[in-house]
Amino acid sequence: MNRINVAGCTEKTTHGKRTGRDFYKTPRHAIVALLEREKFKGDIWECACGDGHISNVLEEYGYNVKATDIVTGVDFLKTNTPCENIVTNPPYNQCNDFLDHALQVATGKVAMLLRLKSLETIDRYQRIWSQKKLKKVYQFVRRVQFTQKNGSMMAVAWFIWDQNYSGLPTLDWIVNEK
């Protein structure tokens, strides 16, 4: 395990407002649903680890995880460190930048939990979707409730890019109980 201390990363929402760093804790069932469907070869970088919700589950499943966050002093967007895989729930107010950078530094797969509206806009299509690296989208049947107090419910999906893939993505559903 290659973990950077993630203590003190918590930021809370108040009255439905987004947090300063757009920090939303990923519920365990959402991470498990990904890992039941997708396998990763090699190490995984969780580059927006927050309190470690994703990285803890990845480690439980036997993966070697590098867990970093801007609050712990590692700004993913300012790194140039290559890695095999990235699995993260990025801050949605920076999802374009996170995705662009992840696709530059990852040599294997990139898995991001993103809002469905991230599929929209001609800019994203030209920069990201037209590259034909998006292999799979795992859509949650029910909106995911994020785990902070009075957590938001959002329409999200796991988007999986594979650097060794060239083609059109496939769509599958996650029938979640929560």
Side-chain angles (χ1 to χ4, degrees):
M1 176 175 72
N2 184 8
R3 174 168 299 240
I4 291 177
N5 184 348
V6 295
C9 296
T10 305
E11 293 187 34
K12 296 184 179 182
T13 60
T14 56
H15 308 293
K17 295 179 184 176
R18 298 186 76 78
T19 65
R21 287 205 171 86
D22 215 15
F23 176 56
Y24 289 81
K25 299 176 186 179
T26 308
R28 179 180 176 78
H29 72 87
I31 305 155
V32 169
L34 169 68
L35 296 177
E36 288 176 349
R37 291 160 176 79
E38 202 67 37
K39 303 298 178 223
F40 299 88
K41 292 180 183 174
D43 295 342
I44 297 175
W45 186 0
E46 211 299 48
C47 54
C49 71
D51 286 340
H53 288 79
I54 293 175
S55 50
N56 290 339
V57 177
L58 290 168
E59 289 171 351
E60 287 174 25
Y61 274 71
Y63 290 105
N64 185 36
V65 179
K66 175 182 178 181
T68 64
D69 194 280
I70 194 167
V71 177
T72 63
V74 179
D75 184 344
F76 172 67
L77 299 176
K78 293 181 180 176
T79 65
N80 289 314
T81 306
C83 63
E84 291 170 290
N85 302 288
I86 293 175
V87 177
T88 194
N89 175 4
Y92 295 151
N93 61 10
Q94 293 182 293
C95 74
N96 289 344
D97 295 334
F98 265 72
L99 183 53
D100 287 341
H101 194 64
L103 292 172
Q104 289 175 15
V105 299
T107 60
K109 291 183 183 179
V110 173
M112 289 199 178
L113 185 65
L114 300 174
R115 294 182 293 184
L116 288 183
K117 70 186 242 173
S118 65
L119 287 168
E120 299 172 344
T121 80
I122 191 68
D123 175 59
R124 280 192 200 106
Y125 175 77
Q126 290 171 339
R127 285 185 312 103
I128 299 167
W129 311 123
S130 66
Q131 291 180 27
K132 305 235 185 256
K133 296 292 181 188
L134 180 65
K135 186 173 185 179
K136 192 86 168 183
V137 176
Y138 296 107
Q139 169 62 52
F140 288 90
V141 172
R142 293 180 178 87
R143 287 183 174 221
V144 172
Q145 179 155 2
F146 291 82
T147 57
Q148 70 272 20
K149 185 178 180 180
N150 300 322
S152 300
M153 292 185 78
M154 290 187 239
V156 296
W158 281 107
F159 291 77
I160 312 299
W161 287 265
D162 188 331
Q163 298 291 20
N164 299 311
Y165 179 76
S166 180
L168 296 175
T170 59
L171 174 65
D172 200 355
W173 285 265
I174 297 172
V175 180
N176 50 324
E177 298 300 321
K178 298 180 181 201

